Amino acid sequence: MTGTEPIRVVVADDQALVRVGFCGIISATPGFIVVGEAGNGAEAVEAARRARPDVILMDVRMPVMNGIEATRQITQSTNVRALILTTFDLDEYVFAALRAGASGFLLKDTLPADLLTAIRVVAAGDALLAPSVTRRLIGEFARTTPTPGRPPGQDGANAAGADTAGAGTGTDAAARIPSSSRCSADRLARILTDREMEVLTMVARGLSNGEIAEELTISPATAKTHVAHLLTKLDARDRIQLVIMAYQSGLVTTLQ
């Protein structure tokens, strides 16, 4: 996608009225084009592979194949970025969907202007989370990531046993993170500078570039550069993967 081409979008939602509404908002906006629709997860995978959109808006709970599995298949086989849409910010499936490769999360009651902004952000290659989700996401990783020296599944209140309806939350979903995203704190220390380690810790705490800049007394542009270096050095797709790496490596183990 270049700056002059419209952003190509597929909308996947099993509720026809919701799907039509999103399609209408997107199609009526200059710079966007709807290139496909899907009423279940299997159709979403097929539409993403056929139409090759820049972004797919993905409902979480759908028949035939849920949005989590659809997201996993799409992100593993294409360069399409998935933006998760759901009704509740406490949806237990959201964490698994992000681990499956989604680039962002948004509530369905989001204002049209914010929806379009979110699509632009994700299409540009950035990650996006609704503010109310960031801390819950980080807390979920802290709860389900085994502490050093403790076998998986025996951390906290047996997080692996808290999975619901095969959603794949907890250590089961974490196991699906690509091996390239798994690294020890020692390895991080070898390939990152001290400042980059500091910035990675702040990203894992949910801080924005602006907040990182303020805390480190640097410019927002410099903070953005540090994050870009982290993405490159760690071969991470977005900030979400940086959060995963920070917790799985043991660099960050508790909410700060």
Side-chain angles (χ1 to χ4, degrees):
M1 182 188 72
T2 68
T4 59
E5 295 176 346
I7 297 174
R8 297 164 56 84
V9 183
V10 166
V11 179
D13 196 300
D14 64 325
Q15 298 181 45
L17 287 178
V18 173
R19 194 168 65 246
V20 169
F22 282 131
C23 287
I25 292 170
I26 296 166
S27 297
T29 305
F32 294 85
I33 182 172
V34 175
V35 295
E37 298 181 35
N40 60 58
E43 291 179 359
V45 174
E46 196 279 330
R49 289 174 176 169
R50 181 188 69 251
R52 298 287 171 161
D54 300 301
V55 177
I56 182 167
L57 298 185
M58 182 76 73
D59 187 22
V60 177
R61 295 186 173 113
M62 291 189 291
V64 183
M65 179 190 297
N66 65 39
I68 298 166
E69 177 60 20
T71 295
R72 185 188 66 79
Q73 292 191 21
I74 290 169
T75 57
Q76 286 185 352
S77 61
T78 73
N79 291 323
V80 177
R81 290 180 169 268
L83 178 58
I84 301 298
L85 290 166
T86 191
T87 306
F88 306 104
D89 65 350
L90 287 174
D91 193 327
E92 68 272 19
Y93 295 94
V94 168
F95 305 112
L98 292 172
R99 282 190 170 108
S103 294
F105 168 87
L106 210 58
L107 300 183
K108 286 185 178 180
D109 62 1
T110 297
L111 294 175
D114 292 335
L115 169 67
L116 297 171
T117 296
I119 295 173
R120 290 190 188 97
V121 168
V122 171
D126 295 324
L128 180 141
L129 294 177
S132 60
V133 173
T134 304
R135 284 292 176 181
R136 292 190 180 96
L137 172 65
I138 293 171
E140 179 73 0
F141 285 130
R143 183 179 70 83
T144 60
T145 301
T147 53
R150 195 178 282 185
Q154 295 184 12
D155 206 42
N158 192 12
D163 292 1
T164 58
T169 57
T171 54
D172 175 66
R176 291 201 294 269
I177 296 301
S179 58
S180 61
S181 297
R182 300 174 183 277
C183 51
S184 66
D186 288 341
R187 178 173 178 271
L188 290 179
R190 287 196 303 270
I191 63 178
L192 302 179
T193 66
D194 290 344
R195 176 49 60 92
E196 287 167 348
M197 289 283 281
E198 196 173 10
V199 172
L200 178 58
T201 300
M202 293 179 179
V203 170
R205 286 166 47 199
L207 272 64
S208 67
N209 289 346
E211 291 168 334
I212 291 172
E214 183 176 354
E215 188 158 329
L216 295 180
T217 318
I218 58 178
S219 71
T222 300
K224 183 177 181 179
T225 297
H226 284 312
V227 173
H229 288 167
L230 288 171
L231 293 170
T232 299
K233 287 186 175 183
L234 298 179
D235 192 26
R237 182 180 60 251
D238 50 41
R239 295 173 81 102
I240 294 171
Q241 283 200 337
L242 292 180
V243 173
I244 294 172
M245 291 179 189
Y247 277 94
Q248 290 188 330
S249 70
L251 177 65
V252 178
T253 56
T254 58
L255 288 179
Q256 300 176 31

